[in-house]
Amino acid sequence: MEHTKILQGFCLLFCFLIILNDKAVIGQQNGMVDLTILESAVSKGAVCLDGTPPGYYFDKGHGEGVNNWIIYFLGGGWCYNVTNCLDNTKTNRGSSKFAPKQKIFYGILSNNKTINPDFYNWNRVMVTYCDGSSFTGDVEEVDAATNLYFRGARIFHAMIEHFLAEGMKDAKNAILTGESAGGLPALIHCDRFRALLPNTPRVKCLADGSYFLHRKNNKEMSYMETVNEGLINLHHSAKMLPDSCTSKMKPSLCLFPQYFQDGIKTPIFIVNSMFDTFQINITFPGYFWDLLNNTCPASHVKTLQDFKQEFVSALPKQCNTSSRGMFIDACLFHVHIVRGNIWNALSLYDKTMAKAFSDWYFDRSPVQFIENRDLPLNCYQFPLKTSPCS
């Protein structure tokens, strides 16, 4: 029953965040980017939950950016049992039939030089999310009773192979990135991506809203552990997870970046709120809605302060600045880098997120920024910030 309540709360939060994200980008002028269905993926078995081919949105690079690439994977949660996977097939999270015909690219994907000066003219790709496994599933058999396909890892490989053939094999710079459940593969597959670009001088990975925290000995974690176990078993994801982690602990724990990031050889950058709304809603049901309404009972304060310390302790060690960068804020957000008014405006230590990441990516300066706050900020009317717990 408790798991059901948490899941219902998350579904409400997920819809609410989509609405807020749409509101956050009104006013920016960017062109619409058309959906392309990758029909060739079907012959490779790289299909969505319902068997339809995956899709992507591609804005071609130009000028000095013509040989540079960003591959961005959309998120959309996990499906960890047959029932919710079947539910997903009725949406764009499980079928390309429901994918929007066009998307507007914001933030790091924007074609606006003022908003996105370092990447506006790169080849920018957004990959649809329709597999329910963070692009880790690889099950050959299709259940005749459900007709569900668990092929997320094949979608990842089919997409990367397609864009290698489209010119990415000659890239001078490349970034693998994504949001939430689509940002996790930017970590899980980061070294695979690097290996597929042996001649590219600079390859790095960026995960946004994907640093899900595992809290040891915490009763609220039982829900996330149930989800992780279900995903691993249903999608056969264990073989796609880093060996450096699965050789030491059960695979379901290796979906938490704190347990495998140290084994990633390719440079990675973490963008996350220390009070990520997905994590707060799952870990402390009811807190998010209180904080959003600028209500912070005294009982919340110590709990949130302790959570912040746990989160910061689980981040990459703050020493190897060339291979590990981070921008960790205190806003009640889930994802950042494709929210236009956040990407080029939210600042820490006098640097916007856009400037901080590009300085790190191009080796102009190290960036390991962690906001010096113990309690969350309500930033949903950004640039206005309010402190519910002050």
Side-chain angles (χ1 to χ4, degrees):
M1 179 64 71
E2 185 63 29
H3 286 178
T4 301
K5 289 180 179 177
I6 294 173
L7 183 58
Q8 289 172 341
F10 169 65
C11 291
L12 287 170
L13 173 65
F14 185 77
C15 295
F16 181 75
L17 292 178
I18 290 172
I19 294 169
L20 286 174
N21 191 50
D22 287 343
K23 289 181 179 178
V25 295
I26 289 173
Q28 286 196 38
Q29 300 300 314
N30 290 304
M32 301 294 286
V33 182
D34 292 333
L35 173 69
T36 299
I37 299 297
L38 188 62
E39 300 286 355
S40 62
V42 176
S43 64
K44 301 173 183 178
V47 293
C48 302
L49 287 168
D50 70 339
T52 55
Y56 64 85
Y57 307 87
F58 177 33
D59 199 3
K60 194 170 178 60
H62 58 89
E64 293 182 356
V66 71
N67 290 319
N68 301 326
W69 289 76
I70 297 177
I71 307 292
Y72 182 94
F73 285 88
L74 281 164
W78 292 339
C79 72
Y80 58 96
N81 60 45
V82 168
T83 299
N84 59 42
C85 288
L86 283 172
D87 287 343
N88 280 5
T89 62
K90 301 168 188 174
T91 73
N92 62 347
R93 290 180 290 134
S95 174
S96 61
K97 291 187 296 186
F98 302 104
K101 300 304 180 187
Q102 292 182 313
K103 282 274 194 179
I104 300 178
F105 281 7
Y106 295 115
I108 195 173
L109 299 180
S110 173
N111 63 3
N112 186 315
K113 186 176 181 179
T114 301
I115 292 167
N116 191 31
D118 287 291
F119 308 109
Y120 76 98
N121 60 355
W122 285 32
N123 294 284
R124 287 155 290 114
V125 178
M126 177 184 283
V127 178
T128 60
Y129 183 82
C130 63
D131 71 291
S133 74
S134 288
F135 301 93
T136 61
D138 190 9
V139 180
E140 179 63 34
E141 302 81 12
V142 179
D143 188 331
T146 63
N147 286 319
L148 286 171
Y149 294 76
F150 303 109
R151 306 279 182 80
R154 298 191 192 188
I155 293 175
F156 172 82
H157 286 291
M159 284 290 175
I160 300 303
E161 288 169 6
H162 174 73
F163 287 107
L164 287 171
E166 288 291 305
M168 191 169 66
K169 69 180 186 302
D170 300 316
K172 293 180 180 178
N173 297 286
I175 299 170
L176 180 66
T177 183
E179 63 177 36
S180 189
L184 195 60
L187 300 176
I188 292 172
H189 294 309
C190 186
D191 286 338
R192 292 187 181 94
F193 184 67
R194 164 77 272 188
L196 292 167
L197 292 165
N199 299 318
T200 300
R202 183 182 284 111
V203 178
K204 299 185 181 183
C205 302
L206 165 61
D208 179 16
S210 310
Y211 210 88
F212 308 123
L213 177 67
H214 179 246
R215 305 184 75 213
K216 303 178 182 70
N217 304 317
N218 184 272
K219 64 180 182 180
E220 285 84 4
M221 279 292 99
S222 62
Y223 169 74
M224 290 190 73
E225 289 170 3
T226 297
V227 171
N228 288 15
E229 290 282 0
L231 183 144
I232 293 290
N233 294 331
L234 190 63
H235 295 264
H236 295 189
S237 298
K239 57 190 172 184
M240 297 306 299
L241 302 179
D243 292 340
S244 60
C245 182
T246 55
S247 62
K248 299 174 185 175
M249 59 186 70
K250 59 183 182 179
S252 60
L253 290 177
C254 297
L255 289 165
F256 293 105
Q258 69 202 78
Y259 296 130
F260 69 82
Q261 64 79 22
D262 194 49
I264 301 172
K265 298 180 176 64
T266 307
I268 60 172
F269 194 95
I270 307 297
V271 170
N272 227 92
S273 170
M274 63 183 80
F275 301 106
D276 178 273
T277 48
F278 170 84
Q279 182 98 45
I280 293 296
N281 195 59
I282 293 298
T283 310
F284 310 115
Y287 277 39
F288 170 72
W289 302 106
D290 287 340
L291 296 169
L292 187 68
N293 291 313
N294 290 318
T295 300
C296 184
S299 58
H300 289 10
V301 172
K302 181 66 163 59
T303 301
L304 291 167
Q305 289 173 332
D306 290 345
F307 178 82
K308 180 253 179 154
Q309 291 302 322
E310 284 187 66
F311 181 82
V312 170
S313 297
L315 289 168
K317 292 182 176 63
Q318 297 175 53
C319 55
N320 194 345
T321 54
S322 61
S323 69
R324 296 293 183 270
M326 64 186 81
F327 188 102
I328 309 298
D329 63 271
C331 285
L332 287 168
F333 283 150
H334 182 40
V335 296
H336 301 67
I337 66 173
V338 292
R339 299 176 68 162
N341 67 336
I342 302 303
W343 170 246
N344 71 325
L346 184 64
S347 297
L348 292 178
Y349 306 102
D350 298 321
K351 275 192 182 181
T352 66
M353 182 180 296
K355 185 71 164 64
F357 174 70
S358 60
D359 280 354
W360 175 85
Y361 181 80
F362 291 109
D363 302 309
R364 295 192 287 250
S365 67
V367 174
Q368 292 189 333
F369 293 169
I370 301 175
E371 187 157 10
N372 186 25
R373 290 190 61 88
D374 289 331
L375 292 166
L377 291 169
N378 184 341
C379 305
Y380 277 112
Q381 294 181 355
F382 186 83
L384 176 66
K385 298 180 184 180
T386 58
S387 181
C389 298
S390 60

